[in-house]
Amino acid sequence: MSSAEEPLISRHSSPSEDHDHPDDGNDNYNDSDIRHDTTTYDGTPPPASPTLFIYLLTLSAGISGLLFGYDTGVISSTLVSIGTSLSARPLTALDKSIITSSTSLLALLISPFSSILADRLGRKRVILLADVLFAVGAAAQACSSSVAGMVAGRAVVGMAVGAASFVVPLYIAELAPAAFRGRLVTMNVIFITLGQVVAYVVGWALGEFGEAATAWRWMVGLGALPAVVQGVVMVVMPETPRWLVMVGRVGEARRVVERVLGGEGEGREVDATVKGIEIEVREESEGRRLRGNGRGVGKAAWLDSAGELLGVRRNRRALAIACLLQGLQQLCGFNSLMYFSATIFTMLGFPIPTLTSLVVAVTNFAFTLVALLLIDRIGRRRILLWSIPFMVVGLILAAYGFSFITLAAVDSTSDKPTAAPAQGAAITILVSIMVYVAGYALGLGNVPWMQSELFALNVRSLGSGIATATNWGANFVIGLTFLLLMDALTPSWTFVLYAGICVVGYGLIWNFYPETAGLSLEEAASLLEDDSWGVR
Ligand SMILES: O[C@H]1[C@H](O)[C@@H](O)[C@H](O)[C@@H](O)[C@H]1O
């Protein structure tokens, strides 16, 4: 579908992809949409300025990113504040690893089901359900008295993250006028990193000024707040017109389209948009019927899409690149810092480790802003090739710093180190971690989320879904193994290992990831036909 034919209210995916793919994460709308979808259904220009409705939509997208960021970031301060409150003993490295990684594991497991639920119940209800899970998970963590209870609370939050990270982008993609869609995905990453900053600030403030025994309960419990706010915003937001048409509620769909278009959406445009959605939905169910699937969650449709994805060379290559980038985003070890920086800075003897660890979140947020200003000008491939060397330098320097210190033993009741390690080395590690995080935020923190521009439309949803699952899978591995690796290999070798992964990743990107910035989807796809994978 060319840009002039793109409905104002966007479609989500092609016929064969809609029901049975795993999570396609943050990529139902992306920056390629900025370039390609700037006109409305009948070719008229998009609304000149955002309507109140668009602001509300932006707010709900923002809160969703904030929640994702808050819940992944807050664990850092929580782990160093729990002391002996869970199961009446200090947390072991294994406890910390399982508490942390249960969230990503459940996010990974739940995301494929959220697409089915989103079709059955509607997008809005699934968002509300995710908000309930966020709130219940936060409360369960706050009230837990054992390690198992805490793991269960984190797992419920993981279900919420998995469902929300699929359905919120879908909701926005189906509601936002095309001209604003690209900006909304950009916002999502900014809000995730902002949510992590908020979590770190809350963790530090409560750890410093709160009641020692209950501070960590407030840290995790406060995660319920944005979920409640989002739930309230969602109550006044409509269901998407595309879903309403899918279930035969065309009149309601029409009223929603009128609302989205605001004053500018008079008669003809509304008609054209609703017609476009109806045609699309009809084509989809027709396609499914022809493949003998009726209206169900077609296994054959899934197989068709999977066959296209793996059977066609350029699709296969797109998938390999998208998974490479998502895998690398996590395996480079960044989230080890996001989850455990307060634990690391405690071991290094910093007096207020939760405050020191704020530099990780703030550097990540600040350089994410810089990246998003630069990325279209510099290009995705180039920004990765420029930034990964900084990550390698940061990691090697940190490894070098760690080689000078014997980590202080941590007093299990106060979680404070029993002896202060060498200060110079600790500062070196702090600075090198900042260099590493800045490099990460400039490239790997963002570029992988632009994955959908690599895929042709008919395999985009499934391809992005698999790549997103790769992200959660690798995130789980990192969360589970970091502290255990620090014990088994020493901190220095753990950081060297991450540096090695970055070097290998750099080589793979150099050889296989072509520059797609500024290209149309067709041009990007045909690059991948080339023997050199379009890199030369
Ligand atoms: O893009 C985001 C961002 O970089 C976050 O800081 C990180 O925690 C997430 O894992 C990643 O997906």
Side-chain angles (χ1 to χ4, degrees):
M1 194 181 274
S2 75
S3 59
E5 295 161 335
E6 181 86 4
L8 178 83
I9 311 283
S10 156
R11 64 184 309 231
H12 157 53
S13 56
S14 72
S16 57
E17 318 159 335
D18 213 17
H19 291 270
D20 39 12
H21 55 77
D23 176 16
D24 71 349
N26 294 325
D27 37 70
N28 289 301
Y29 47 90
N30 63 23
D31 73 339
S32 64
D33 294 324
I34 302 175
R35 297 195 307 270
H36 303 293
D37 305 335
T38 48
T39 49
T40 56
Y41 180 78
D42 58 354
T44 54
S49 60
T51 57
L52 173 66
F53 175 79
I54 303 298
Y55 282 117
L56 281 177
L57 197 56
T58 311
L59 181 68
S60 66
I63 297 175
S64 160
L66 267 184
L67 270 167
F68 180 156
Y70 187 88
D71 279 298
T72 52
V74 80
I75 198 66
S76 175
S77 332
T78 307
L79 290 178
V80 297
S81 313
I82 286 176
T84 54
S85 336
L86 290 180
S87 304
R89 59 173 172 77
L91 295 177
T92 63
L94 187 63
D95 292 334
K96 291 185 179 185
S97 308
I98 295 176
I99 289 173
T100 305
S101 55
S102 53
T103 305
S104 13
L105 180 63
L106 263 291
L108 171 66
L109 296 180
I110 217 68
S111 47
F113 299 104
S114 25
S115 81
I116 298 171
L117 266 191
D119 280 347
R120 296 258 156 89
L121 303 178
R123 284 62 165 132
K124 179 174 161 170
R125 287 206 194 106
V126 177
I127 297 180
L128 286 169
L129 193 67
D131 284 330
V132 172
L133 289 175
F134 270 121
V136 169
Q141 290 175 80
C143 302
S144 58
S145 55
S146 65
V147 172
M150 183 71 174
V151 170
R154 295 291 300 164
V156 173
V157 166
M159 291 164 73
V161 172
S165 68
F166 170 77
V167 83
V168 173
L170 174 60
Y171 179 78
I172 292 162
E174 290 185 350
L175 265 177
F180 298 105
R181 217 179 307 140
R183 269 172 256 176
L184 288 171
V185 76
T186 309
M187 289 228 348
N188 198 39
V189 189
I190 292 177
F191 272 98
I192 292 174
T193 52
L194 180 63
Q196 292 172 332
V197 173
V198 172
Y200 271 51
V201 172
V202 168
W204 159 72
L206 284 171
E208 275 310 290
F209 309 112
E211 178 110 17
T214 53
W216 71 270
R217 296 188 187 277
W218 283 102
M219 291 174 200
V220 286
L222 277 175
L225 204 66
V228 172
V229 175
Q230 191 183 45
V232 171
V233 174
M234 282 310 295
V235 169
V236 297
M237 297 294 286
E239 184 46 85
T240 75
R242 189 162 186 277
W243 185 79
L244 290 170
V245 169
M246 265 168 66
V247 295
R249 287 152 60 178
V250 180
E252 272 176 74
R254 205 191 142 78
R255 283 194 290 281
V256 175
V257 173
E258 279 168 3
R259 205 170 142 194
V260 174
L261 295 179
E264 309 181 38
E266 296 304 327
R268 185 172 144 261
E269 207 174 321
V270 175
D271 288 344
T273 303
V274 176
K275 262 261 124 19
I277 299 173
E278 278 183 297
I279 291 171
E280 222 175 67
V281 169
R282 206 175 314 126
E283 277 172 3
E284 287 186 12
S285 62
E286 189 64 10
R288 237 177 272 124
R289 199 181 56 75
L290 288 177
R291 281 191 295 272
N293 285 315
R295 207 201 115 34
V297 174
K299 198 160 162 205
W302 188 90
L303 285 177
D304 269 3
S305 200
E308 280 276 297
L309 188 61
L310 299 175
V312 178
R313 181 155 91 157
R314 68 181 189 195
N315 293 343
R316 215 169 34 235
R317 289 181 166 186
L319 182 67
I321 294 169
C323 290
L324 163 71
L325 295 181
Q326 288 288 18
L328 199 58
Q329 182 189 77
Q330 298 301 323
L331 295 177
C332 71
F334 169 77
N335 278 317
S336 307
L337 297 180
M338 185 45 68
Y339 301 150
F340 301 114
S341 57
T343 303
I344 299 173
F345 293 132
T346 302
M347 295 194 278
L348 287 176
F350 281 97
I352 310 176
T354 47
L355 184 61
T356 313
S357 64
L358 239 177
V359 300
V360 171
V362 171
T363 309
N364 187 33
F365 173 61
F367 280 85
T368 299
L369 287 179
V370 175
L372 293 168
L373 291 176
L374 293 181
I375 208 155
D376 280 324
R377 261 176 270 165
I378 296 183
R380 290 105 174 87
R381 172 185 163 84
R382 213 170 307 148
I383 211 164
L384 283 175
L385 292 178
W386 286 358
S387 59
I388 293 177
F390 283 96
M391 295 172 67
V392 175
V393 169
L395 286 167
I396 298 288
L397 257 181
Y400 178 70
F402 271 116
S403 71
F404 282 98
I405 44 182
T406 344
L407 290 181
V410 172
D411 174 7
S412 59
T413 42
S414 68
D415 245 320
K416 296 269 184 296
T418 49
Q423 220 188 1
I427 299 288
T428 309
I429 293 169
L430 177 62
V431 173
S432 46
I433 281 179
M434 285 173 73
V435 172
Y436 164 74
V437 171
Y440 168 84
L442 279 176
L444 271 181
N446 291 290
V447 175
W449 289 123
M450 293 164 183
Q451 59 196 3
S452 59
E453 68 189 17
L454 287 165
F455 294 104
L457 187 64
N458 62 335
V459 293
R460 189 176 306 161
S461 188
L462 180 62
S464 313
I466 295 174
T468 303
T470 308
N471 180 296
W472 282 120
N475 186 319
F476 169 66
V477 170
I478 285 295
L480 189 65
T481 56
F482 176 66
L483 292 181
L484 308 176
L485 283 175
M486 295 266 281
D487 271 351
L489 294 182
T490 73
S492 291
W493 284 109
T494 306
F495 280 76
V496 170
L497 177 68
Y498 292 148
I501 291 173
C502 289
V503 170
V504 172
Y506 185 93
L508 292 171
I509 289 169
W510 176 274
N511 281 305
F512 301 116
Y513 181 40
E515 186 55 79
T516 51
L519 299 182
S520 72
L521 291 175
E522 293 70 30
E523 287 166 336
S526 65
L527 264 188
L528 294 177
E529 284 290 2
D530 185 84
D531 275 345
S532 75
W533 292 55
V535 295
R536 273 179 284 278

